[in-house]
């Protein structure tokens, strides 16, 4: 099946009460693992990359690999830019062939975030590309001082979310509701009251960042309240690296890179499957 926009994937997910898992990625084995897991489970999936990952792989190469591999599968696949840092970096991804981009102006004053996001929406929609925005800074759990991780976690203002969606025209957006990137130092406490109010005021599919480490029952509750895309990055990298380290330790002096990377890829397939099932998107392709 061909590559589709995130708008198409998320509108269907919201109506069907499941979420589409979006996995960050930056190399061939990683992309193969994500697509294999999704195809085995007959699930839609989003393959995404942040600026550093695009710089590492090259945007054109990234889109070409995902497109060629996805073309052979009977599942819909999204290609998405995660956390576009500037207007220019975000728009550049349209030239690579991304079908969805995120512009993250959450650190800016709201009016400025809206103004730039609106311009991104205008350019992206002209190219048939969907746009994700962000309101309320989603922090880094791992960067928080010991035992005070939640101090780094912001909570979005539902009134600001309503204004942001209405004025910018985004197709979906990420709001900080007690989630954070990285490894949570203690169990994350999602603010379901804020989530409910945001959903009521905006009506567009919501995106949950920092999916790694949020318990399954919490993810499912958030999905039932309107979360339609969940980002997972740390969990795949951590699982993959741990297996790679073990494989290298068990096979000293073996220079067969394919043999060394195969168990890593298998582990990533397993992790991706677990998270797709948590998102309840299996057999929804
Ligand atoms: Zn994020």
């Amino acid at each position: 099946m061909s590559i589709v926009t995130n708008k198409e994937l998320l509108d269907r997910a919201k109506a069907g009460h499941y979420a589409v898992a979006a996995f960050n990625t930056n190399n061939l084995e990683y992309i193969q693992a994500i697509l294999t897991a999704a195809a085995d489970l007959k699930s839609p999936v989003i393959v995404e990359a942040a600026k550093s990952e695009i710089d590492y792989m090259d945007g054109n190469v990234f889109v070409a690999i995902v497109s060629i591999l996805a073309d052979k599968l009977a599942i819909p696949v999204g290609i998405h830019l995660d956390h576009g840092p500037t207007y220019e970096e975000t728009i550049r991804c349209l030239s690579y062939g991304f079908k969805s981009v995120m512009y993250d102006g959450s650190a800016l004053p709201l009016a400025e975030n809206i103004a730039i996001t609106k311009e991104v929406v205008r350019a992206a929609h002209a190219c048939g590309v969907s746009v994700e925005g962000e309101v309320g800074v989603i922090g880094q759990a791992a960067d928080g001082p010991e035992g005070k991780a939640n101090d780094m976690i912001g909570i979005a203002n539902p009134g600001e979310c309503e204004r942001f969606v209405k004025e910018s025209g985004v197709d979906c957006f990420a709001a900080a509701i007690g989630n954070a990137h990285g490894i949570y130092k203690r169990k994350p406490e999602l603010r379901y009251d804020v989530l409910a109010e945001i959903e009521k005021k905006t009506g567009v599919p919501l995106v949950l960042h920092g999916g790694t480490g949020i318990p399954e029952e919490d993810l499912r509750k958030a999905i039932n309240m309107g979360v339609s895309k969940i980002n997972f990055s740390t969990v795949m990298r951590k699982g993959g690296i741990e297996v790679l380290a073990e494989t290298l330790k068990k096979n000293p002096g073996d220079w067969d890179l394919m043999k060394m990377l195969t168990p890593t890829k298998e582990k990533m397939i397993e992790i991706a499957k677990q998270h797709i099932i948590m998102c309840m998107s299996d057999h929804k392709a």
Side-chain angles (χ1 to χ4, degrees), residues 14-128:
K14 190 172 158 92
H17 304 288
Y18 61 90
V20 182
F23 297 101
N24 281 71
T25 177
N26 45 50
N27 76 7
L28 175 65
E29 286 77 11
Y30 212 151
I31 296 172
Q32 287 173 320
I34 295 162
L35 292 176
T36 301
D40 284 357
L41 291 174
K42 299 183 173 46
S43 169
V45 74
I46 294 164
V47 184
E48 66 181 23
K51 178 184 155 24
S52 59
E53 292 168 316
I54 292 168
D55 289 346
Y56 178 80
M57 282 203 83
D58 181 293
N60 287 308
V61 172
F62 172 67
V63 172
I65 293 173
V66 178
S67 303
I68 291 166
L69 294 175
D71 214 32
K72 298 175 186 166
L73 307 173
I75 55 167
V77 175
I79 300 182
H80 176 73
L81 164 68
D82 188 30
H83 292 285
T86 62
Y87 174 83
E88 289 77 9
E89 294 285 356
T90 308
I91 293 305
R92 187 172 301 136
C93 287
L94 303 182
S95 74
Y96 301 142
F98 279 66
K99 288 302 249 177
S100 174
V101 290
M102 174 185 190
Y103 168 68
D104 178 2
S106 62
L108 300 171
L110 183 65
E112 219 176 309
N113 184 10
I114 291 172
I116 300 173
T117 305
K118 194 175 165 181
E119 286 306 306
V120 170
V121 168
R122 194 171 159 214
H125 281 186
C127 301

Side-chain angles (χ1 to χ4, degrees), residues 82-83 134 181 209-210 231:
D82 188 30
H83 292 285
E134 179 169 325
H181 301 106
H209 284 233
N231 287 12

Side-chain angles (χ1 to χ4, degrees), residues 9-11 13-14 18-21 205-207 223 226-230:
L9 291 173
L10 303 197
D11 284 350
K14 190 172 158 92
Y18 61 90
V20 182
L206 304 173
V207 180
I223 292 166
V227 165
S228 309
K229 171 177 178 266
I230 302 178

Side-chain angles (χ1 to χ4, degrees), residues 196-213:
E197 216 183 321
I198 290 172
E199 149 63 17
K200 202 170 89 189
K201 285 183 187 295
T202 65
V204 296
L206 304 173
V207 180
L208 189 66
H209 284 233
T212 296

Side-chain angles (χ1 to χ4, degrees), residues 94-217:
L94 303 182
S95 74
Y96 301 142
F98 279 66
K99 288 302 249 177
S100 174
V101 290
M102 174 185 190
Y103 168 68
D104 178 2
S106 62
L108 300 171
L110 183 65
E112 219 176 309
N113 184 10
I114 291 172
I116 300 173
T117 305
K118 194 175 165 181
E119 286 306 306
V120 170
V121 168
R122 194 171 159 214
H125 281 186
C127 301
V129 171
S130 51
V131 179
E132 176 181 328
E134 179 169 325
V135 184
V137 178
I138 300 167
Q140 282 286 349
D143 286 354
E146 192 61 44
K148 290 191 175 175
N150 281 349
D151 292 351
M152 303 292 290
I153 298 172
I155 302 293
N157 174 315
E160 290 190 355
C161 293
E162 182 180 23
R163 189 180 151 204
F164 176 80
V165 169
K166 213 174 185 177
E167 294 182 20
S168 69
V170 285
D171 301 292
C172 61
F173 76 106
I177 54 160
N179 48 321
H181 301 106
I183 298 286
Y184 293 99
K185 289 199 170 120
R186 55 175 177 245
K187 185 179 175 288
E189 281 167 26
L190 297 186
R191 288 284 303 272
Y192 296 110
D193 55 330
V194 176
L195 175 59
E197 216 183 321
I198 290 172
E199 149 63 17
K200 202 170 89 189
K201 285 183 187 295
T202 65
V204 296
L206 304 173
V207 180
L208 189 66
H209 284 233
T212 296
I214 298 179
E216 181 164 0
E217 65 270 23

